[in-house]
């Protein structure tokens, strides 16, 4: 009989996520980054000048969690918050030179974690896994939006 732990997509996804988080934390720690900061930086390297509200939606995290992460990033010299010209209440998030300089080594560290995790997979298996994961994210994101 197969155990729930080995046959539950949710259990396995959660376990994989914790393992990835641990490995990513170890990989980016020498750069002075925490995993949550890395996730924010991924978004800001893609598009700078977004608001905290934009980041909350893109990363699917709580407002309070994002506020704490951004406060730490500002303290650590990774971001600056600048007034939004169109909305006096909003602040646009800009990268500092330090954060820009971390892009290449941080991405290399994350790619190393991914490479180790997927080392036993063929290219076809990797693509199938990633396609399946994207489908799961899409399905669960849609169901959360409908709730």
């Amino acid at each position: 009989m197969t155990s729930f732990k080995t046959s539950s997509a949710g259990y396995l996804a959660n376990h994989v996520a914790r393992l990835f988080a641990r490995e990513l934390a170890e990989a980016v720690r020498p750069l002075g980054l925490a995993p949550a900061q890395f996730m924010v930086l991924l978004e800001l390297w893609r598009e700078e000048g977004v608001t905290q509200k934009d980041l909350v939606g893109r990363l699917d995290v709580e407002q309070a969690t994002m506020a704490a992460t951004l406060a730490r990033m500002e303290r650590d010299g990774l971001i600056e918050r600048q007034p939004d010209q169109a909305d006096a209440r909003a602040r646009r998030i800009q990268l500092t030179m330090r954060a820009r300089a971390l892009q290449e080594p941080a991405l290399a560290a994350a790619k190393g974690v991914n490479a180790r995790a997927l080392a036993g997979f063929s290219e076809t298996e990797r693509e199938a896994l990633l396609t399946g994961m994207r489908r799961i994210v899409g399905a669960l994101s849609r169901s959360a939006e409908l709730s």
Side-chain angles (χ1 to χ4, degrees):
M1 179 174 171
T2 305
S3 80
F4 181 78
K5 287 171 50 171
T6 59
S7 63
S8 166
Y11 179 89
L12 289 170
N14 184 274
H15 193 160
V16 167
R18 285 181 294 154
L19 292 171
F20 264 107
R22 182 186 71 204
E23 293 295 314
L24 180 63
E26 290 177 20
V28 298
R29 184 178 299 120
L31 302 173
L33 295 175
Q37 294 173 319
F38 178 71
M39 297 304 144
V40 171
L41 287 172
L42 283 176
E43 287 299 321
L44 293 173
W45 288 326
R46 190 173 62 83
E47 182 183 5
E48 202 172 337
V50 297
T51 64
Q52 180 173 318
K53 182 179 179 181
D54 294 332
L55 291 170
V56 164
R58 290 177 185 187
L59 295 173
D60 194 23
V61 298
E62 296 293 326
Q63 180 73 21
T65 301
M66 182 57 67
T69 300
L70 292 175
R72 182 176 175 190
M73 292 177 75
E74 191 169 34
R75 181 202 71 201
D76 293 349
L78 296 169
I79 62 162
E80 296 174 346
R81 299 185 222 204
Q82 300 177 350
D84 185 329
Q85 302 301 327
D87 181 354
R89 297 167 298 167
R91 314 242 316 146
R92 298 279 168 183
I93 305 184
Q94 301 294 328
L95 293 168
T96 63
M97 292 300 289
R98 177 174 183 258
R100 286 187 189 96
L102 288 172
Q103 183 174 2
E104 189 175 317
L107 289 174
K111 287 176 182 176
V113 171
N114 279 290
R116 285 192 311 279
L118 299 175
F121 290 77
S122 70
E123 187 60 36
T124 301
E125 289 171 324
R126 283 185 200 134
E127 280 308 310
L129 176 64
L130 294 173
T131 298
M133 292 173 81
R134 285 189 288 267
R135 287 175 58 192
I136 291 168
V137 168
L140 293 178
S141 296
R142 281 191 299 278
S143 69
E145 290 169 5
L146 298 174
S147 301

